[in-house]
Amino acid sequence: SQTIHQWPATLVQPVGSPLSLECTVEGTSNPNLYWYRQAAGRGLQLLFYSVGIGQISSEVPQNLSASRPQDRQFILSSKKLLLSDSGFYLCAWSRIFTGELFFGEGSRLTVL
Amino acid sequence: AQTVTQSQPEMSVQEAETVTLSCTYDTSENNYYLFWYKQPPSRQMILVIRQEAYKQQNATENRFSVNFQKAAKSFSLKISDSQLGDTAMYFCAFMKPSSNTGKLIFGQGTTLQVKP
């Protein structure tokens, strides 16, 4: 069976510090991978998606970047965090032809 | 660009009763998928139900059913015999299969509280 894990679950970082959130998928190959951010009252905003190793598409210009160094690994990064980067970040993978997304547990980031 | 709107930020229902969550969307596509996802408190988001736009029959999954009105671009979720475990945030989502990216566009979410 397929599983998805992301970490850390909770993170408190000062403004200007770097960020690295990791996500790994097991039990499937060549998944489509996604990073979403969930803000109160604003639903889920798609930040990045990847259809293969090294292929990253950005949906929203911002302070964040994403990388996919391995087939089932997806990393969300920032060199210098802003207060506005605070939020709940969700990693997901999909069965592309059904559209079903499988989400990780989420990472709550607080930037102070 | 496609948009998804959920106009009810919060709703509540008594246990065992029926509740309907609303969702509208805007698209010029003819073929697309619609979804309802459930995010329980402190738990992973999961798929509740899926509807393909070319299918006229409304999707049903046990106590969950949808009312899909393609012309009106409306996609509501009905939960029958509500249970305490249905307490969660519910998201409506849209996908354009022709993009081959699997990207979902989500609404703002509706927080549902089931009361004993």
Side-chain angles (χ1 to χ4, degrees):
Chain A
S1 64
Q2 299 86 13
T3 58
I4 178 170
H5 298 287
Q6 63 177 106
W7 68 94
T10 305
L11 198 59
V12 180
Q13 292 286 99
V15 169
S17 64
L19 170 73
S20 180
L21 300 179
E22 295 194 31
C23 172
T24 60
V25 180
E26 298 177 358
T28 188
S29 59
N30 197 30
N32 281 16
L33 296 170
Y34 309 85
W35 279 110
Y36 281 88
R37 178 167 57 199
Q38 183 176 4
R42 295 177 61 184
L44 277 75
Q45 180 185 38
L46 179 61
L47 302 177
F48 301 94
Y49 69 93
S50 171
V51 299
I53 296 176
Q55 300 179 59
I56 308 295
S57 296
S58 174
E59 290 291 296
V60 181
Q62 57 203 322
N63 187 43
L64 303 170
S65 62
S67 62
R68 184 171 178 173
Q70 299 181 44
D71 181 44
R72 291 170 291 173
Q73 184 183 24
F74 206 24
I75 298 172
L76 184 69
S77 304
S78 174
K79 293 182 179 179
K80 290 185 178 181
L81 285 168
L82 305 173
L83 287 174
S84 57
D85 292 324
S86 293
F88 190 58
Y89 290 84
L90 287 163
C91 180
W93 72 275
S94 76
R95 299 182 193 277
I96 187 172
F97 296 111
T98 66
E100 182 174 0
L101 281 184
F102 297 90
F103 287 87
E105 306 93 333
S107 298
R108 186 165 301 282
L109 170 66
T110 303
V111 182
L112 301 175
Chain B
Q2 292 80 22
T3 59
V4 178
T5 302
Q6 295 177 246
S7 59
Q8 305 154 313
E10 297 180 354
M11 294 190 70
S12 63
V13 63
Q14 291 297 131
E15 195 175 8
E17 294 188 346
T18 296
V19 64
T20 298
L21 308 183
S22 301
C23 173
T24 59
Y25 57 95
D26 188 23
T27 185
S28 58
E29 301 288 326
N30 189 49
N31 184 33
Y32 48 88
Y33 297 159
L34 295 166
F35 307 84
W36 278 98
Y37 279 84
K38 170 185 177 181
Q39 186 180 40
S42 302
R43 293 177 61 185
Q44 284 172 274
M45 190 173 316
I46 58 172
L47 177 66
V48 175
I49 200 164
R50 173 177 176 268
Q51 175 80 42
E52 295 162 60
Y54 66 85
K55 292 185 177 179
Q56 293 185 340
Q57 186 173 5
N58 289 325
T60 299
E61 288 288 344
N62 301 314
R63 298 182 295 106
F64 297 87
S65 62
V66 299
N67 183 6
F68 173 47
Q69 301 290 328
K70 191 173 184 179
K73 296 181 181 176
S74 171
F75 184 61
S76 60
L77 174 70
K78 186 172 80 171
I79 306 174
S80 303
D81 185 25
S82 297
Q83 301 176 0
L84 295 179
D86 295 333
T87 292
M89 193 160 192
Y90 288 82
F91 290 95
C92 178
F94 170 100
M95 188 187 88
K96 183 175 67 172
S98 60
S99 69
N100 289 325
T101 62
K103 295 190 299 180
L104 266 65
I105 308 300
F106 285 87
Q108 304 92 321
T110 296
T111 299
L112 175 67
Q113 178 73 43
V114 179
K115 299 180 178 179

